[in-house]
């Protein structure tokens, strides 16, 4: 039989997390990410791991805090409303410099919203979600294979930089099925000399905490943390460019919107329109450099989003508004069609970059 | 399948392709001239439902018995209001699309006494050896037993729908035959159909017994190239 397996995006995240050495999962069921919890419930007991359906999202994220403090790889997953509930815990983890993987399989909002796919938590994810000065690495998969590979990568980044990494997917990515190669070597967390693992009477106590009694000390860790963030912005951006070499129009999209957009770009190319796709894979750090470079070559940008227009602000910031950026979007759980994106491309071609 | 029972129950591990198998079975049975209905009893999965094929079924003259909340934002396990037509309307042949795993099969419990009493049903276990939790016969048997326990009915046959989605090759299907045979051997049930994407059918015709082509629900916006 083939080496690949056919998986739902949610299952791919769960299996990849196990491959990455994660043995602790805490969560709470919510559509459309419930398969992650269901998969963990089936597999964790068989491999000596912990699956715990917490009494609430708030409890789950605090369990993640606790396990992370002991140096073990740990994750939680939810969908939009549940991630809002986790926001306090995310801020506390940032304040305590704790690594973990957080998964948000987004659904339409705000409020309880709906259960259909959405990308309207972009602001929440890329700006941290909770209170205080902090960042979170945000990865946006656009295939079931990437749901798996970015999960493994997400654990590595979290450990490397001692911060939370979020997989920002949407309901479609979570539910769709595609073949996946799970050929990651079993990978383990690096040594964590900061973890609360017991001193053996050989070293001072490690303390995991986000409370600082001295304002100067609190200021110092904030500055140190932002030096780390600057390093990440410099070294960890990921993106995909498609037909951008001679492009006069740049379509920007991530996740499921990028897949729809790719179809539209292919169709527009057949009609002789020079258009390409720039797909951010890291939403934070946002891939500013390729957008800056594209701004010198293209006459306009189109941001395709399943939201009322959130990433569009990062495009304008990255390009310093050098070229017009228009929005092509659907909201409330509806996915833009390739035809809608194609029309936006045709319109941009007609306008030729006129503001 | 040589004989057609009035009820065909399509069950299995979630994500094995039950809905596509069920829709295509209903269409094939309708082509035999049978008065047909199709019931979507999936209480597990709110996405990718039989309702996606509503137009195709209607065109073929197949009545769709389906919760009015399928494909909507109502995230509760809901059943169609005309549920009891399944067991009361004995003049109509029906294919039942049941939700995944034992949790999905629970829905059959309330219908099971009437189904057993009428005793004119086939209950098919759809299997896909390329799914991570049913990669071998032993783990597939776990699913089989869990479903039977949940719904109070016994399977009568196996449908081998082993596939890797859009990347499936004819070889992938051929290699799955021994897996399906092992499931058959362990369960004592016959492999009644091997189902393949209709585009692979010509390459496999004559090589696998009871080969059955599937026309899949349209998900084109997710595909690239």
């Amino acid at each position: 039989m083939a080496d690949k397996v056919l998986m739902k995006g949610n299952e791919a995240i769960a299996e990849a997390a196990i491959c990455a050495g994660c043995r602790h999962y805490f969560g709470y069921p919510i559509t459309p990410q419930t398969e992650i919890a269901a998969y963990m419930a089936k597999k964790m007991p068989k491999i000596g791991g912990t699956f715990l359906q917490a009494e609430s999202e708030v409890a789950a994220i605090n369990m993640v805090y606790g396990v992370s403090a002991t140096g073990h790889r740990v994750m939680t997953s939810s969908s939009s409303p549940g991630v809002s509930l986790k926001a306090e815990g995310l801020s506390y983890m940032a304040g305590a410099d704790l690594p973990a993987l957080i998964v948000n399989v987004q659904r339409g909002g705000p409020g309880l919203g709906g259960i259909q796919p959405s990308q309207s938590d972009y602001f929440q994810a890329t700006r941290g979600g909770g209170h205080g000065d902090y960042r979170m690495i945000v990865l946006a998969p656009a295939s079931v294979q990437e749901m798996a590979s970015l999960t493994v990568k997400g654990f590595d980044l979290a450990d490397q930089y001692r911060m939370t990494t979020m997989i920002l997917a949407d309901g479609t990515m979570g539910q769709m099925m595609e073949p996946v190669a799970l050929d990651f070597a079993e990978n383990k967390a690096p040594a964590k000399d900061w973890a609360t693992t017991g001193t053996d009477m050989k070293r001072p106590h490690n303390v995991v905490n986000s409370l600082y009694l001295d304002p100067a000390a609190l200021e110092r860790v904030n500055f140190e943390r932002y030096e780390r963030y600057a390093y990440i912005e410099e070294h960890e951006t990921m993106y995909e460019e498609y037909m951008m070499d001679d492009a006069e129009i740049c379509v920007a999209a991530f996740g499921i919107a990028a897949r729809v957009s790719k179809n539209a770009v292919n169709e527009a190319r057949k009609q002789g329109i020079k258009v390409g796709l720039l797909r951010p894979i890291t939403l934070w750090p946002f891939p500013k450099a390729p957008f800056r470079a594209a701004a010198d070559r293209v006459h306009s940008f189109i941001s395709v989003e399943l939201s009322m227009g959130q990433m569009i602000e990062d495009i304008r910031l990255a390009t310093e508004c050098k070229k017009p950026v228009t929005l092509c979007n659907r909201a409330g759980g509806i996915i833009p069609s390739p035809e809608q994106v194609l029309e936006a491309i045709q319109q941009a071609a007609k306008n030729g970059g006129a503001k | 399948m040589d004989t057609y029972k009035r009820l065909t129950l399509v069950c299995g591990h979630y994500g094995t392709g039950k809905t596509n198998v069920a829709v295509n079975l209903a269409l094939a049975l309708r082509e035999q001239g049978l008065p047909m209905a199709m019931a979507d009893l999936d209480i597990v999965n709110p996405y990718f439902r039989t309702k996606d094929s509503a137009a195709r079924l209607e065109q073929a003259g197949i009545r769709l018995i389906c919760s009015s909340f399928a494909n909507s934002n109502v995230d509760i396990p809901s059943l169609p209001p005309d549920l009891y037509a399944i067991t009361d309307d004995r003049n109509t042949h029906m294919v039942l699309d049941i939700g995944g795993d034992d949790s999905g099969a629970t829905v059959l419990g309330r219908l099971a006494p009437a189904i057993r009493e009428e005793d004119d049903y086939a209950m098919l276990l759809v299997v896909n050896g390329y799914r991570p939790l049913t990669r071998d016969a032993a783990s597939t048997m776990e699913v089989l037993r869990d479903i039977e326990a949940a719904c109070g009915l016994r399977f009568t046959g196996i449908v081998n729908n082993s596939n890797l989605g859009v990347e499936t090759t004819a070889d992938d299907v051929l290699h799955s035959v021994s897996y399906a045979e092992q499931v058959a051997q362990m369960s004592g049930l016959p492999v009644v159909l091997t189902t393949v994407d209709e585009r692979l059918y010509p390459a496999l015709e004559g090589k696998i017994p009871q080969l059955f082509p599937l026309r899949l629900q349209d998900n084109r916006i997710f595909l690239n190239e």
Side-chain angles (χ1 to χ4, degrees), chain A residues 74-98:
Chain A
V74 56
M75 72 177 287
T76 184
S77 63
S78 192
S79 181
S80 310
V83 175
S84 293
L85 285 165
K86 292 185 197 292
E88 181 198 50
L90 292 175
S91 169
Y92 276 56
M93 293 187 76
D97 295 307
L98 289 175

Side-chain angles (χ1 to χ4, degrees), chain A residues 1-8 11 15 30-32 35-36 38-39 42-43 46 106-107 113-117 170-172 175-180 182 242 256 258-260 262-263 266 332 335-339, chain B residues 13-17 44-48 70-76 101-102 128-135 139 142-143 146 161-168 172 175-179 220-225:
Chain A
M1 310 249 289
D3 292 332
K4 289 185 174 183
V5 287
L6 184 67
M7 295 186 106
K8 280 196 176 204
E11 296 173 323
E15 185 61 42
I30 175 170
T31 307
E35 292 83 2
I36 302 177
Y39 198 92
K42 275 221 162 84
K43 280 213 103 166
K46 290 183 181 169
Q106 300 165 90
R107 56 190 253 177
I115 60 168
Q116 301 295 332
D170 68 83
T172 320
Q175 295 295 325
M176 68 191 294
M177 297 184 72
E178 285 181 326
V180 182
L182 293 163
Y242 180 71
I256 188 66
R259 292 175 68 130
V260 174
K262 210 178 233 186
N263 285 329
N266 287 338
I335 304 171
S337 66
E339 291 76 16
Chain B
H13 176 47
Y14 77 86
T16 44
V44 177
N45 185 6
Y47 282 50
F48 307 126
N71 282 354
S72 82
N73 275 335
V74 183
D75 188 17
I76 50 170
D101 291 340
D102 45 338
N128 180 352
Y130 295 108
R131 293 281 290 141
L133 296 183
T134 56
R135 289 199 83 174
S139 53
E142 267 180 53
V143 174
D146 286 349
N161 186 47
S162 294
N163 75 88
L164 277 168
V166 287
E167 286 185 19
T168 317
D172 293 332
H175 288 147
S176 75
V177 168
S178 65
Y179 153 79
R220 81 199 156 89
I221 64 165
F222 307 128
L223 303 176
N224 284 143
E225 278 87 50

Side-chain angles (χ1 to χ4, degrees), chain B residues 40 72 93 97 145 163 166 195 224:
Chain B
D40 174 358
S72 82
H93 279 64
D97 180 15
R145 293 206 178 97
N163 75 88
V166 287
T195 44
N224 284 143

Side-chain angles (χ1 to χ4, degrees), chain B residues 93-109:
Chain B
H93 279 64
M94 295 193 197
V95 174
L96 276 51
D97 180 15
I98 310 299
D101 291 340
D102 45 338
S103 40
T106 311
V107 77
L108 281 172

